[in-house]
């Protein structure tokens, strides 16, 4: 891959297979996920794919009590998870009771299959 672009399609294909992929900027070393076109830190476009462990911890979360139309059954939680590699990512919380959810809780990436798409989920580590 010479132009350094790691597509969102590739990101979600990998996620579906249970692999979380980030990108590291060849200019400044910043790590980003999901893929962006330009590095938000140095504005370069020299991304290199990096495999992420998927292990992280909850930084913050929001409990959704009224589901969007056609969406998942409420209540459910959406959390910002800081991965051990240092990047943060938003995902659905699965298999963790809402009353047990707290900041600092260790979680692990888990792909969630929706009808046509793969969603980012986090379950117990
Ligand atoms: Zn950069």
């Amino acid at each position: 891959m010479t132009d350094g672009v790691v597509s969102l399609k590739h990101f979600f294909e990998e996620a579906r297979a249970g692999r979380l992929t980030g990108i590291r900027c060849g200019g400044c070393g910043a790590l980003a996920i999901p893929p962006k076109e330009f590095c938000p830190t140095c504005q370069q476009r020299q991304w290199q794919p990096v495999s992420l462990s998927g292990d992280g911890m909850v930084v913050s979360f929001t409990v959704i009590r009224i589901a969007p139309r056609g969406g998942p059954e409420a209540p459910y939680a959406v959390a910002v998870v800081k991965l051990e590699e240092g990047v943060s990512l938003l995902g659905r919380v699965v298999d963790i009771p809402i009353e047990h959810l707290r900041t600092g809780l260790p979680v692990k990436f888990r792909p969630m299959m929706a009808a046509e798409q793969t969603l980012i989920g986090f379950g117990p580590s």
Side-chain angles (χ1 to χ4, degrees), residues 25 27-30 39 41-44 47:
C25 176
C28 70
C39 174
T41 305
C42 73
Q43 314 305 322
Q44 295 201 53
W47 299 114

